[in-house]
Amino acid sequence: MAKAKSTKPRDLIRWLVSLITATPAKFIDFTMAPDAVTAEEQLAETYDIGVDLRHRLIAIREDL
């Protein structure tokens, strides 16, 4: 019988999340997440950003 591969936990990456409303974009916060979509969702929930503005969030990867 084949042995199941163990899954390695995903590394967390630091993301800078901004809200694009005007130029320049409004900085929201930094967060640790495995991908950009998760980072945007985390901060949207933390800062009570409504569904109508969530499409304006952008996460930029921060390489340390």
Side-chain angles (χ1 to χ4, degrees):
M1 192 176 241
K3 189 175 182 182
K5 292 183 180 181
S6 62
T7 58
K8 181 179 167 185
R10 298 176 90 182
D11 294 331
L12 296 179
I13 302 166
R14 184 177 175 181
W15 297 92
L16 177 147
V17 180
S18 297
L19 181 64
I20 300 173
T21 55
T23 303
K26 180 180 175 188
F27 170 75
I28 303 295
D29 203 352
F30 292 101
T31 188
M32 299 295 286
D35 58 20
V37 175
T38 306
E40 292 169 3
E41 290 174 357
Q42 286 176 354
L43 289 183
E45 292 176 10
T46 303
Y47 289 95
D48 294 326
I49 297 172
V51 178
D52 54 333
L53 290 178
R54 288 189 185 195
H55 70 281
R56 292 183 176 215
L57 287 175
I58 185 165
I60 301 168
R61 183 180 181 148
E62 288 280 311
D63 292 325
L64 300 176

